[in-house]
Amino acid sequence: MATINGTDIKIFSTGTTDLVAFAQNCTLTLTHNVREITNKGSAGFKELADGMREFTIEVDGLYAYTDASGSALSNGADDLIQTNILAGRVKVDFIFGGGVTGDFQYSGSGFITSVSLTAGTEDNATYSITIDGTDGLTQGQKA
């Protein structure tokens, strides 16, 4: 069985090779909700039917304003907050997966629904962002 190194799974801005800056962890969660259709003819057993599907992306990492050379970031947590929440409620496009040709990837878009910035005493400042998906999620391979 081949295993995947978690470092190879990354969050990219759609159509670019720009990673979400200093991300350390990323999670894609898919949920298939069901509807209960139990009735008096169900013989005492719960019955279910298809419902809505949804997906969420969670990204967390180190919080920074600049890169290692001191240049301002254009893909950091502050940039996502400014562009997608403060300046306008704009969808985020993303690609979740490997960056090498042939790697499986999931792509889609969603709205940032939660951001937290954390700064503990004598510890690294971190961020956490949740993106709730809208429209569909597509599975493909890196070209």
Side-chain angles (χ1 to χ4, degrees):
M1 175 177 108
T3 61
I4 298 171
N5 182 336
T7 303
D8 294 335
I9 304 297
K10 300 173 175 145
I11 300 291
F12 297 92
S13 297
T14 299
T16 73
T17 56
D18 293 341
L19 292 171
V20 174
F22 302 110
Q24 293 180 307
N25 298 293
C26 54
T27 303
L28 169 63
T29 303
L30 301 168
T31 305
H32 183 183
N33 297 304
V34 293
R35 301 175 288 125
E36 185 172 340
I37 58 169
T38 306
N39 59 67
K40 292 183 180 189
S42 297
F45 289 94
K46 181 191 278 189
E47 291 187 64
L48 302 172
D50 278 341
M52 301 294 287
R53 294 171 292 171
E54 60 186 301
F55 60 95
T56 301
I57 294 276
E58 295 176 7
V59 181
D60 64 74
L62 298 174
Y63 181 55
Y65 302 108
T66 61
D67 63 18
S69 69
S71 299
L73 292 173
S74 62
N75 60 338
D78 287 326
D79 301 296
L80 289 173
I81 293 167
Q82 177 61 35
T83 304
N84 301 95
I85 297 176
L86 299 177
R89 292 172 272 195
V90 198
K91 287 192 270 187
V92 176
D93 293 326
F94 65 84
I95 297 171
F96 178 94
V100 177
T101 300
D103 285 353
F104 276 97
Q105 296 182 325
Y106 293 91
S107 59
S109 62
F111 292 96
I112 295 176
T113 56
S114 174
V115 176
S116 65
L117 305 173
T118 305
T121 304
E122 294 298 320
D123 201 358
N124 293 327
T126 60
Y127 69 87
S128 179
I129 295 175
T130 301
I131 302 167
D132 284 348
T134 185
D135 305 321
L137 183 67
T138 303
Q139 181 188 58
Q141 286 183 286
K142 168 91 173 150

